[in-house]
């Protein structure tokens, strides 16, 4: 078997195996002498080093393994360090609050409260699995009804919708504002008290 073929196969096996790969195991697979496999591994190791590749081949007690180059540690840590999830926009939070307290609710009902179109915001909340379609209203056109999901409950640490706080306290759970938040619309602003009244209606 040609060295080029063995080295190519060794690369593939090390990539898939992850753990240090034993020379004896490789020799048995190829049906060749252990020394031949060892020489191929050393050649491959030297080639990676000469090219300054981001992956290097480490030898551990006659076993070989792919590892990352230590000089790249800082970049790897930046990649692997958990990144704080992007917060929802104010418009998304406002829409989510309306859905949570008015559900099941149609898009037109949400827009009538906010005074502004909500197509993209609703799509974004659905992509994040915070709201979902829960049926259709028994009105003309059978518009889609929206409600919150189990993911919504998990994200805001509610066991059920019964745990939703009173409407006047929602800013401490969903909104992160020092002043009581308002729902802004083209026609003006709607306070949470007005939203509560709309819920009662």
């Amino acid at each position: 078997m040609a060295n080029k073929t063995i080295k190519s196969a060794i690369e593939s096996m090390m990539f898939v195996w992850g753990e240090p790969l034993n020379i004896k195991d490789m020799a048995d697979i190829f049906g060749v002498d252990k020394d031949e496999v060892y020489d191929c591994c050393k050649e491959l190791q030297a080639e990676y080093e000469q090219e300054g590749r981001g992956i290097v081949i480490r030898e551990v007690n006659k076993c070989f393994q792919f590892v990352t180059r230590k000089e790249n540690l800082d970049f790897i840590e930046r990649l692997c360090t958990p990144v704080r999830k992007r917060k929802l926009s104010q418009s998304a939070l406002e829409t989510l609050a309306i859905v949570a307290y008015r559900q099941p609710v149609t898009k037109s009902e949400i827009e009538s409260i906010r005074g502004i179109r909500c197509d993209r915001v609703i799509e974004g909340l659905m992509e994040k699995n915070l709201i979902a379609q829960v049926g259709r209203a028994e009105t003309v056109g059978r518009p889609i009804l929206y409600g919150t999901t189990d993911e919504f409950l998990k994200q805001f640490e509610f066991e059920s919708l019964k745990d939703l706080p009173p409407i006047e306290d929602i800013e401490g759970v969903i909104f992160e504002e020092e002043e009581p938040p308002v729902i802004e619309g083209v026609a003006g602003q709607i306070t949470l008290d007005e939203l509560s009244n709309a819920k009662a209606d």
Side-chain angles (χ1 to χ4, degrees):
M1 185 178 293
N3 279 11
K4 184 177 180 181
T5 301
I6 293 176
K7 288 195 291 185
S8 176
I10 288 172
E11 280 186 290
S12 298
M13 290 192 297
M14 284 196 296
F15 177 81
V16 172
W17 195 248
E19 297 296 324
L21 192 55
N22 191 281
I23 289 295
K24 181 181 182 303
D25 293 335
M26 287 190 282
D28 290 343
I29 290 170
F30 296 131
V32 298
D33 187 76
K34 289 189 295 183
D35 290 339
E36 185 176 350
V37 174
Y38 182 80
D39 290 340
C40 286
C41 287
K42 296 301 288 185
E43 288 178 19
L44 201 56
Q45 184 182 50
E47 290 170 9
Y48 270 72
E49 189 61 38
Q50 289 168 4
E51 294 176 11
R53 305 289 290 273
I55 298 295
V56 297
I57 298 174
R58 178 173 63 188
E59 180 180 359
V60 181
N61 193 26
K62 299 293 183 178
C63 296
F64 291 85
Q65 177 186 27
F66 273 144
V67 296
T68 56
R69 185 173 292 278
K70 62 181 181 181
E71 289 84 358
N72 293 335
L73 177 60
D74 182 52
F75 304 110
I76 296 169
E77 287 180 339
R78 292 183 201 176
L79 174 67
C80 296
T81 300
V83 179
R84 187 177 182 181
K85 291 183 178 179
R86 184 179 178 183
K87 293 181 180 179
L88 293 175
S89 66
Q90 186 69 20
S91 60
L93 288 169
E94 292 164 358
T95 301
L96 184 57
I98 295 169
V99 174
Y101 283 88
R102 290 291 304 270
Q103 62 184 308
V105 61
T106 65
K107 181 170 74 72
S108 61
E109 289 173 323
I110 297 170
E111 292 174 342
S112 69
I113 295 173
R114 293 200 65 223
I116 191 171
R117 292 185 64 85
C118 300
D119 300 77
R120 288 193 175 182
V121 176
I122 289 174
E123 288 176 7
L125 290 172
M126 290 183 67
E127 287 176 0
K128 292 179 173 61
N129 195 29
L130 294 174
I131 67 172
Q133 298 179 10
V134 296
R136 289 186 176 272
E138 297 294 333
T139 57
V140 177
R142 299 292 306 278
I144 295 171
L145 291 168
Y146 296 94
T148 53
T149 63
D150 288 345
E151 182 65 22
F152 165 80
L153 296 177
K154 288 192 294 183
Q155 289 290 332
F156 293 98
E157 299 181 357
F158 299 140
E159 289 188 7
S160 71
L161 292 175
K162 294 180 181 179
D163 295 329
L164 281 170
I167 194 72
E168 62 271 14
D169 295 334
I170 193 173
E171 62 267 21
V173 179
I174 294 182
F175 297 94
E176 295 183 6
E177 302 285 335
E178 293 183 0
E179 298 295 329
V182 295
I183 298 179
E184 299 180 2
V186 174
Q189 296 181 323
I190 301 176
T191 66
L192 286 173
D193 288 336
E194 290 171 326
L195 173 59
S196 181
N197 292 334
K199 176 175 181 284
D201 294 341

